[in-house]
Amino acid sequence: MRLVADGATPASRLVLVKDLETDDGYAFELASPLFLAAGDRIAFDDDRLVVVRAGGARLSLAGDWSTRCGPGSLQRR
């Protein structure tokens, strides 16, 4: 499922997220899986994933950046 991490586009349905891949070959791997409910919005703020729940609660989630293309798993700089 494609999720838009612009902070404005709500998730259309309940989805379990373990990592998020970008169009340029990077991935944000969450420290623990997350359920996004319909209406939740996601964005990246200072290289951290932020979830704004439909009710207004704001979560800042731990994780690490890595690459999904090229040899090995390199850290994003």
Side-chain angles (χ1 to χ4, degrees):
M1 176 179 180
R2 184 172 181 84
L3 297 171
V4 179
D6 63 0
T9 305
S12 61
R13 63 178 185 225
L14 180 68
V15 62
L16 176 64
V17 178
K18 296 187 294 182
D19 56 23
L20 296 163
E21 291 186 26
T22 66
D23 290 338
D24 59 355
Y26 293 101
F28 186 79
E29 299 171 356
L30 291 161
S32 59
L34 166 74
F35 276 106
L36 285 177
D40 289 351
R41 294 171 285 135
I42 59 174
F44 288 102
D45 186 19
D46 293 330
D47 282 344
R48 294 185 60 95
L49 180 66
V50 175
V51 176
V52 179
R53 297 287 188 191
R58 186 177 171 94
L59 306 170
S60 182
L61 302 169
D64 293 307
W65 284 99
S66 64
T67 57
R68 292 287 169 99
C69 59
S73 179
L74 304 173
Q75 292 297 317
R76 182 179 184 191
R77 296 185 194 269

